[in-house]
């Protein structure tokens, strides 16, 4: 990370962040690498200034265009599920729904290369700027409908979707590398987090339905 003033003061201070991380651990997040990454990542950096004092509350926050930055607990849980299910260092990971770029920045510190797709252009532009300012160079962004993944960049060892489709898109399954792992919220009014693992290099996928979640919907097409 660069020498920008990212440390924060008052409600964005290190002590405030520490309290958040403690809370995530109390709620059951156990992966220390993930907890450390959340501790050291300035979530306030990904929000409008007017909301930055709420950045270290364990709550989802608006980022404009009807979208939200996910709750820290969910970011931590999805990341630890992805890393845990892979069981090895992940080389290439695809994120569907860049949004603010916060989850992207967490992944970028834990895997080799992150590819992230966003359908709303102004959100992508802002995320690009913030990620660049943080000095994260292993992030590749694309303005596209992530329901189709990023075929030219795949296959991926891991895919994480931060928007919920009603059914798992076939394109994402196709882009999983052998033993690749997909973490995705699925559903409409009621959603659940799904963990899907490709069985070796076969066309078989093993699905585990995990906890109930609430995400914005995965929409088709793009918007400028
Ligand atoms: N990971 C984000 C979460 C943002 S909310 C963060 O940390 O801030 C989910 C995002 O998914 C929104 O920005 C929304 O525009 C985007 N999205 C929804 N459907 C999409 C699609 N089909 N392709 C790409 N992005 C999509």
């Amino acid at each position: 990370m660069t020498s920008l003033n990212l440390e924060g003061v008052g409600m964005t201070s290190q002590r405030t962040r520490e309290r958040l991380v403690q809370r995530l651990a109390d709620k059951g997040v156990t992966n220390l690498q993930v907890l450390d990454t959340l501790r050291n990542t300035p979530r306030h950096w990904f929000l409008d200034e007017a909301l930055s004092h709420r950045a270290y509350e364990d709550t989802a926050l608006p980022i404009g265009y009807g979208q939200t930055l996910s709750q820290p607990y969910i970011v931590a849980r999805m990341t630890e599920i992805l890393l845990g299910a892979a069981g090895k260092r992940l080389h290439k990971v695809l994120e569907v729904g860049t949004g603010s770029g916060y989850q992207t920045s967490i992944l970028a510190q834990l895997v080799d290369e992150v590819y992230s797709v966003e359908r709303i252009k102004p959100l992508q532009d802002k995320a690009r700027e913030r990620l660049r300012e943080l000095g994260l160079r292993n992030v590749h962004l694309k303005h596209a409908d992530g329901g189709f993944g990023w075929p030219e960049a795949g296959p991926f060892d891991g895919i994480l979707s931060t928007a919920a489709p009603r059914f798992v898109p076939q394109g994402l399954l196709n882009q999983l590398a052998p033993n690749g792992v997909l973490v995705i919220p699925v559903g409409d009014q009621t959603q659940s987090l799904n963990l899907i693992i490709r069985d070796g290099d076969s066309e078989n996928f093993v699905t585990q339905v995990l906890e109930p979640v609430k995400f914005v919907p995965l929409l088709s097409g793009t918007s400028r």
Side-chain angles (χ1 to χ4, degrees):
M1 300 221 179
T2 62
S3 59
L4 290 165
N5 184 13
L6 298 170
E7 306 224 319
V9 290
M11 290 310 282
T12 62
S13 70
Q14 197 57 47
R15 204 152 52 88
T16 313
R17 292 186 207 183
E18 208 59 59
R19 269 201 298 270
L20 170 64
V21 168
Q22 187 53 52
R23 188 163 173 174
L24 301 182
D26 292 346
K27 279 175 128 175
V29 178
T30 57
N31 185 314
L32 295 179
Q33 233 194 333
V34 171
L35 290 171
D36 268 349
T37 307
L38 266 90
R39 178 183 290 114
N40 297 325
T41 303
R43 189 170 183 252
H44 66 276
W45 194 248
F46 295 90
L47 290 162
D48 282 345
E49 217 170 321
L51 279 172
S52 59
H53 67 288
R54 300 192 56 197
Y56 301 96
E57 292 175 16
D58 188 21
T59 170
L61 290 167
I63 54 173
Y65 307 89
Q67 305 305 319
T68 54
L69 202 175
S70 311
Q71 179 193 3
Y73 168 74
I74 279 294
V75 172
R77 267 303 280 155
M78 286 177 84
T79 310
E80 87 169 353
I81 289 165
L82 182 79
L83 300 188
K88 57 159 189 164
R89 170 126 187 135
L90 289 158
H91 172 48
K92 265 166 124 176
V93 171
L94 172 71
E95 177 192 26
V96 177
T98 315
S100 68
Y102 176 68
Q103 170 81 69
T104 323
S105 79
I106 298 289
L107 289 171
Q109 297 172 75
L110 293 164
V111 310
D112 294 341
E113 299 290 328
V114 182
Y115 294 79
S116 185
V117 182
E118 170 57 55
R119 64 180 291 280
I120 301 177
K121 183 75 172 122
L123 284 178
Q124 192 211 16
D125 289 343
K126 220 184 242 183
R128 188 187 296 286
E129 197 180 307
R130 286 165 167 161
L131 291 163
R132 188 173 42 79
E133 283 164 339
L134 286 183
L136 295 168
R137 309 234 172 274
N138 58 339
V139 173
H140 313 268
L141 301 180
K142 179 165 132 169
H143 178 230
D145 179 348
F148 298 103
W150 190 334
E152 313 82 67
F156 301 98
D157 308 313
I159 301 178
L160 191 152
S161 180
T162 65
R166 298 178 68 165
F167 307 99
V168 178
Q170 186 61 40
L172 297 184
L173 296 175
N174 292 345
Q175 286 164 45
L176 281 178
N179 300 310
V181 176
L182 168 61
V183 179
I184 186 167
V186 184
D188 192 2
Q189 291 307 319
T190 56
Q191 301 171 2
S192 50
L193 198 58
N194 284 22
L195 166 62
I196 302 170
I197 305 178
R198 183 189 278 262
D199 185 7
D201 60 1
S202 76
E203 291 301 315
N204 296 330
F205 300 89
V206 179
T207 301
Q208 272 176 266
V209 178
L210 309 174
E211 58 223 62
V213 285
K214 185 86 194 96
F215 275 84
V216 296
L218 185 92
L219 300 175
S220 50
T222 57
S223 138
R224 287 246 142 226

